[in-house]
Amino acid sequence: MQALPLSGVRVIDYSHFLAGPYVGRCLAALGAEVIKVERPGSGDAGRQHAHILDDQQSGYFLQLNMGKQGVSVNMKDPRGKAFMQQLCDSADVFIENYRPGALDKLGLGYTELSARNPRLVYCSISAYGHTGPDAHRAGFGLIAEAKSGIMQMVGTPGEAPPLLRISLGDMYTGIHAVAAINAALLGRVTSGKGQHVDMALYDTLVSMHEYAVQCYTLSGGTVLPQQTGHDMPTSTLYGVFRAQDGDLVIAAQVDDAWKRFAALVEQHGGPAGFGADARFHDANGRNAHRLEILAVVKPWVAARTVTEVLALLDGIDVPSAKVQRIDEVLADPQIQARGMVLEQQHPRYGTLRLPNLPFRFSDCDTSAPMQRVAPDLGQHNAEVARSLGYSDADIATLQTDGVLFSK
């Protein structure tokens, strides 16, 4: 077996809450040494986000910061600034997600750190990026989701769009940042130099549009995606349907799958001739007669249980699935077989069950749970300081003076 791909890479995670910490967690899972730096006192604001376990940890923080060492540095003290700059001199990657320009004031901006360490890959994550007229504006995933056009496309026609309930902007930008960091590290092999990776939540969500942008541009500006509720008018039959005891999704939008599905519906109580109706045998015809099709399919599904419908569709190889609750997801044999719920032993909280990451390699062992739990605030101050050459006496002074903070 090989070592994990990023073994030997040192990462400084000077980020907070979600997008940045997620990048750090991913890099740790890929083998990097990740050092999370927090402010003294309250630390990362994510420590106070659901589900709260005590006054310094939360499920949110535990999930996003496992695998990392933790230090807490007072940047208002010149010794704290010197400590951080020395730490960054030792690093391969620096992650931050503050408003552009904020870290320049602390001596932790890209220009200053790269001058000291030209090999540093410096990753910034912000709402709008470091260029453009909105670069100075604050923002969160919610803001990017609204501005990107994604939010406008979901929900029931005539009603305000719903919240997406997962942090799409943060997580998608985070995993793009992981890819970009690894690309920059690979480029450094030949160039010998790091670079600034500038990631924007807004950019990332706009890049997700797999059809909306081209529908508008290729139609000469006449086609605007609209809220469609529970199905896809441009891809019939593809949507969510309510059965007697729950909801399920059906994806019979491909011609062959549709023909098998329509024949099944007719065979099991649907109207005569439904399966043979040539009007529905190509995508344009199905889309043109979508409401007529839904008028048959909806009551057909509603007359059966989820299990009954899924069994029928599995029998003809039409993709379908129950709309599952989180408890059902955790109990799903497929999720268990893939190791997507990891267990960690925490010294205070006992066994933790948290979402795993989806990385799988043929020649690296990613099956074992990450043993290092998310750090307490400043837990590894001394360990990290020693790696930089600080003596025990120097460390004791910095801790006594609150330059290195722990809780």
Side-chain angles (χ1 to χ4, degrees), residues 115-137:
R116 296 174 58 99
N117 179 6
R119 289 176 56 81
L120 185 67
V121 173
Y122 188 109
C123 179
S124 298
I125 301 175
S126 60
Y128 298 101
H130 281 233
T131 59
D134 289 334
H136 67 286
R137 301 183 65 189

Side-chain angles (χ1 to χ4, degrees), residues 38-43 56 70-74 376-382 395 398-407:
E38 299 179 75
R39 61 187 177 187
S42 58
Q56 65 173 338
V71 300
S72 181
V73 184
N74 180 6
D376 290 336
L377 188 58
Q379 180 179 344
H380 302 99
N381 287 341
I395 295 169
L398 293 176
Q399 290 177 327
T400 300
D401 292 349
V403 178
L404 295 179
F405 178 88
S406 62
K407 184 177 178 181

Side-chain angles (χ1 to χ4, degrees), residues 147-170:
K147 287 182 68 69
S148 69
I150 292 175
M151 185 175 287
Q152 185 272 335
M153 295 163 53
V154 299
T156 302
E159 297 183 5
L163 292 177
L164 300 180
R165 292 304 304 274
I166 61 169
S167 299
L168 189 68
D170 290 279

Side-chain angles (χ1 to χ4, degrees), residues 51 63 90 118 139 229 233 257 291 335 375:
H51 175 75
Q63 175 186 342
S90 74
L291 295 180
I335 289 300

